[in-house]
Amino acid sequence: MYKKMFPNKTMFSKLLITYILLSIIPVALIGLVSFKMSEKLLDAQISKSNINTLEQINKNINVLIDQVSAIVNIYNMNNELEALLTKQYTNPYDQLLDQAKVENNMLRYSFAFDWLSFQSFLIGNNGLIYTQNYENNIVDPERLLNFPLKDILAQNPDRITWLSTHRSYLKNQEDSQVFTAAKLLQTNALNKNYGVFLISVKEQNLYTIYKNLLQNGNEIMIVDRSNHIISHSDRSRVGQILNEPYVQKLLATEENYKISSTIHNQKFLTLYKKIDRVDWYIVENIPMNSIFQDIDALKQTILIVAFVCILLSVVAAFFISRSISLPIRKLSRRVQNYWLQGTVEPDYPVNEVKLLNIEYDKMIEKLEKTINALVINQEEKRIAELQALQMQINPHFLYNTLNSIKCLVWVNKTELIEPTIHALVTLLEQTINRNDEFITIQEELNNIEQYVYIQQIRTDEAITLRYNIDPQMLDCTIPKLLLQPIIENALFHGIEPSKVPGVINVFGSIHQDSLKIEIIDNGVGMNEEELARVFNETASPSSSRFSGIGVRNVHERLKLNFGPSYGLTIHSQPDFGTSVILTLPKLMKSTEVKEHHV
């Protein structure tokens, strides 16, 4: 059974084993990589989500700090306080009046920020303490006056100093935890201090910011650089000192950071965010078991999916291998039968691919021979067609030239016959008798001048021939007798019928790798019907003033030599003349023309 399913050295067995290996190994690798990547992505996602949480907490704390700073600045910029905080009283009544005035103002300020739970204090240089005029709120003067506030504030007299969370300065609220912002009050001119302003904000304001973000056993705290806990999700730890080892590592960097930490033998993912304005730090500890709970579920899912994929891959490999190998086995048997030519088929397994490879090499060899023969045949055909076109243009050209000489005899200008024949012989030597298929544009222009000279002698009329050729074109090569048929048609069928002095302009320009040659005459021109007959091979030459023989010849030679993208176009208008534009590749003397054949 096994040998029938996996015959030795056959295409089917090789494909099946290959597909199975190529399916199991990638699926296993993909499963492993997916698990690792998912673990990293989940960790990154959780970290990103919680970092965004810390960012939001940071923004809300900054709003709270802005409000506290605004209150401090109100007192700091109150110029009336200096006189009241430095005034020495001898009359108790005056002291009570001034104290009531100050405390009423403090009460009014507290109403402006009534959403913020705080208590403000003014300690004057006169030894008096002022606060909001709340009933039953009794200030603990001993704690306020004995605390070395001025020494602490003198280190940064122009800045607000933030004190860590501590018990309230009010005797009836000693169980309440507050954090305090303090500012030394100074005169603007002499920088002389006249008192201290303190604002104690309930720590509950901080806890309210993040308490709704607590989930999955995480804990959030706010600590200062001295490791004092300003606020903590565990309310019993507010105001304590944080002695965990990981805290020093966090506080050693100024950037946002995350680490893995161990707290009381439990692993946490610890995230950290610095609050620059108050030199506080937001710390969040997330239990690792809450993170890996999702990862473990993902791991089981990946294992199940990987097993199903492997099973489906094995089944698919069997059918794919069979579908691919079966046609190849049938083809190889046909080739094998042809190869053995009716002899007995060998009883050993035949490598189908090797057999097909041998026959393929034989087929390629035959195809190469056939293609080479076709290329040679096409080249010979092209040369024969060009020679046929050349044989067509030569009699046409000679006929018109000899006809011109005959006209000299008729008009009794025998003295011009000899120079005319000399010009004809020179022209024939340059064109018809040369074996070169291509000549330079300069040589073609010389041939045109000889031809125009012959026509001037024949007609006894001046023919103006003007050139406007890019000098770089003169050494470019073109098929010989390419421009002469166009000039001939311009003279015989354009200028002569017009009975006006003939003018022929020849323009030449280079456009990247192509040449454009335009020949314009001032002859009688053609209408649309006559233009359509020019390229009509079935039209009679006498049916139009403009002969199509030379024009079609030039057009076909350009396409045979260079391909269908090159050729000849004609623009004409009755009584205004004709423009013939030739487009051909830019070829120098050393350029192989065969490179441009199609």
Side-chain angles (χ1 to χ4, degrees):
M1 181 66 180
Y2 180 82
K3 291 183 178 180
K4 288 183 179 180
M5 292 183 61
F6 302 97
N8 188 29
K9 296 182 179 178
T10 61
M11 172 68 71
F12 175 76
S13 61
K14 292 180 179 179
L15 284 175
L16 183 59
I17 294 172
T18 301
Y19 275 125
I20 290 175
L21 291 176
L22 290 178
S23 61
I24 293 177
I25 294 175
V27 168
L29 289 175
I30 290 171
L32 181 60
V33 172
S34 298
F35 172 72
K36 293 297 183 182
M37 291 297 295
S38 300
E39 186 178 15
K40 289 183 178 179
L41 288 174
L42 186 59
D43 178 75
Q45 188 66 29
I46 292 174
S47 299
K48 182 179 179 181
S49 174
N50 285 274
I51 286 173
N52 292 335
T53 300
L54 297 187
E55 289 286 351
Q56 187 60 45
I57 295 173
N58 179 46
K59 290 180 181 178
N60 293 335
I61 291 176
N62 279 317
V63 172
L64 176 64
I65 291 170
D66 287 338
Q67 297 299 315
V68 174
S69 299
I71 297 172
V72 173
N73 289 330
I74 289 174
Y75 284 90
N76 189 47
M77 293 184 293
N78 190 339
N79 297 326
E80 296 178 358
L81 290 176
E82 180 182 356
L84 295 172
L85 297 181
T86 56
K87 185 176 181 180
Q88 299 295 329
Y89 294 95
T90 57
N91 187 344
Y93 180 73
D94 292 339
Q95 177 180 339
L96 289 174
L97 289 177
D98 288 344
Q99 187 166 357
K101 179 180 178 181
V102 172
E103 291 183 345
N104 283 333
N105 284 333
M106 296 176 72
L107 182 61
R108 188 167 60 252
Y109 294 152
S110 67
F111 288 155
F113 298 89
D114 57 351
W115 65 272
L116 188 63
S117 298
F118 70 93
Q119 184 73 33
S120 55
F121 306 92
L122 278 171
I123 304 174
N125 283 358
N126 55 10
L128 297 178
I129 299 175
Y130 305 85
T131 185
Q132 290 113 309
N133 190 17
Y134 290 133
E135 293 183 1
N136 302 322
N137 281 353
I138 303 172
V139 179
D140 187 348
E142 185 177 352
R143 288 182 60 203
L144 276 174
L145 296 176
N146 292 340
F147 191 74
L149 272 175
K150 288 189 177 181
D151 296 336
I152 296 173
L153 299 180
Q155 299 175 9
N156 294 292
D158 297 328
R159 297 179 60 185
I160 299 174
T161 298
W162 297 86
L163 306 179
S164 299
T165 301
H166 55 86
R167 290 183 297 109
S168 173
Y169 291 117
L170 301 179
K171 291 183 178 180
N172 63 336
Q173 296 183 16
E174 288 184 349
D175 294 337
S176 176
Q177 299 284 350
V178 296
F179 63 93
T180 300
K183 177 69 173 66
L184 195 66
L185 302 178
Q186 295 178 308
T187 59
N188 294 331
L190 302 176
N191 290 330
K192 182 179 178 182
N193 69 77
Y194 55 86
V196 175
F197 174 71
L198 296 93
I199 175 171
S200 294
V201 183
K202 287 187 177 182
E203 180 272 339
Q204 184 70 26
N205 288 280
L206 293 175
Y207 178 67
T208 303
I209 292 174
Y210 63 82
K211 69 178 181 179
N212 293 329
L213 301 174
L214 298 170
Q215 56 184 351
N216 296 328
N218 67 326
E219 62 177 15
I220 299 175
M221 70 188 80
I222 301 170
V223 299
D224 62 13
R225 187 169 288 277
S226 300
N227 294 0
H228 285 89
I229 299 176
I230 307 297
S231 180
H232 201 292
S233 55
D234 182 357
R235 310 305 295 152
S236 63
R237 301 190 64 183
V238 176
Q240 295 180 3
I241 301 295
L242 189 64
N243 293 320
E244 303 295 343
Y246 70 90
V247 176
Q248 298 302 325
K249 186 175 181 179
L250 287 175
L251 302 184
T253 177
E254 296 295 325
E255 302 294 333
N256 298 340
Y257 196 70
K258 70 173 185 177
I259 60 170
S260 296
S261 58
T262 302
I263 305 172
H264 304 301
N265 297 323
Q266 184 178 358
K267 290 187 177 180
F268 288 84
L269 174 65
T270 300
L271 304 174
Y272 152 80
K273 172 70 181 175
K274 187 174 186 296
I275 307 174
D276 292 321
R277 295 184 58 187
V278 291
D279 209 17
W280 290 352
Y281 307 87
I282 308 170
V283 181
E284 180 179 14
N285 292 321
I286 307 169
M288 285 292 189
N289 55 12
S290 66
I291 298 175
F292 284 113
Q293 183 178 1
D294 296 331
I295 295 177
D296 290 339
L298 181 63
K299 181 179 179 180
Q300 293 179 0
T301 303
I302 291 175
L303 288 175
I304 294 172
V305 171
F307 177 77
V308 173
C309 289
I310 291 173
L311 183 61
L312 293 176
S313 298
V314 172
V315 176
F318 177 82
F319 287 102
I320 292 173
S321 302
R322 188 173 182 276
S323 64
I324 293 175
S325 63
L326 189 59
I328 295 177
R329 289 182 65 185
K330 290 181 179 179
L331 180 60
S332 65
R333 285 179 181 177
R334 291 176 57 188
V335 173
Q336 187 177 2
N337 292 334
Y338 174 78
W339 182 31
L340 296 172
Q341 296 180 352
T343 60
V344 179
E345 185 176 347
D347 56 356
Y348 54 87
V350 177
N351 190 321
E352 301 98 331
V353 176
K354 183 177 181 181
L355 179 62
L356 292 175
N357 187 45
I358 294 172
E359 293 303 316
Y360 176 78
D361 290 340
K362 293 179 181 179
M363 182 184 67
I364 291 297
E365 184 178 355
K366 291 179 181 179
L367 283 175
E368 287 180 350
K369 291 180 180 179
T370 304
I371 291 172
N372 290 333
L374 286 174
V375 169
I376 294 172
N377 184 40
Q378 288 295 325
E379 181 64 17
E380 291 176 350
K381 181 180 178 181
R382 187 190 70 83
I383 294 173
E385 289 176 348
L386 287 174
Q387 289 175 348
L389 289 172
Q390 187 67 39
M391 294 300 294
Q392 180 187 16
I393 196 66
N394 289 347
H396 182 70
F397 164 70
L398 289 173
Y399 170 79
N400 287 333
T401 306
L402 292 175
N403 189 49
S404 299
I405 296 174
K406 183 175 70 174
C407 290
L408 291 177
V409 177
W410 287 351
V411 295
N412 222 5
K413 295 182 179 180
T414 54
E415 73 279 1
L416 298 177
I417 292 176
E418 181 180 353
T420 303
I421 292 175
H422 178 73
L424 175 60
V425 171
T426 303
L427 189 58
L428 292 176
E429 287 178 350
Q430 292 295 322
T431 58
I432 298 175
N433 292 333
R434 288 183 57 172
N435 294 325
D436 297 336
E437 186 180 342
F438 285 76
I439 62 174
T440 64
I441 292 179
Q442 181 64 64
E443 291 173 332
E444 182 72 3
L445 295 178
N446 294 337
N447 295 337
I448 291 175
E449 290 178 354
Q450 293 290 340
Y451 178 77
V452 171
Y453 169 75
I454 293 173
Q455 299 308 320
Q456 284 177 325
I457 292 176
R458 179 182 69 83
T459 59
D460 198 21
E461 292 182 2
I463 300 173
T464 304
L465 186 63
R466 298 173 182 166
Y467 299 119
N468 189 355
I469 305 291
D470 189 335
Q472 297 181 5
M473 292 177 57
L474 297 178
D475 289 332
C476 296
T477 59
I478 59 175
K480 63 183 177 181
L481 282 179
L482 189 71
L483 303 182
Q484 184 272 336
I486 309 301
I487 300 294
E488 181 178 333
N489 275 289
L491 291 173
F492 277 82
H493 306 289
I495 293 175
E496 284 192 9
S498 68
K499 307 301 182 180
V500 297
V503 178
I504 298 176
N505 292 289
V506 181
F507 299 93
S509 59
I510 300 175
H511 298 270
Q512 295 181 349
D513 295 331
S514 299
L515 302 180
K516 285 192 179 295
I517 301 175
E518 184 176 8
I519 300 173
I520 303 175
D521 65 65
N522 64 338
V524 295
M526 293 178 288
N527 56 33
E528 293 183 0
E529 183 180 353
E530 290 171 327
L531 272 173
R533 283 200 293 265
V534 170
F535 292 101
N536 187 358
E537 297 181 0
T538 61
S540 173
S542 60
S543 65
S544 173
R545 295 194 307 271
F546 195 83
S547 173
I549 296 176
V551 174
R552 287 197 299 272
N553 183 288
V554 170
H555 188 63
E556 290 171 5
R557 289 168 68 197
L558 286 174
K559 289 190 174 297
L560 277 172
N561 275 298
F562 308 119
S565 59
Y566 300 98
L568 177 148
T569 57
I570 301 174
H571 303 282
S572 185
Q573 188 175 357
D575 301 326
F576 284 94
T578 302
S579 168
V580 181
I581 301 174
L582 295 88
T583 304
L584 61 161
K586 179 183 176 183
L587 302 175
M588 305 305 292
K589 272 191 174 183
S590 59
T591 305
E592 288 289 340
V593 179
K594 291 183 179 180
E595 294 178 0
H596 298 271
H597 291 165
V598 177

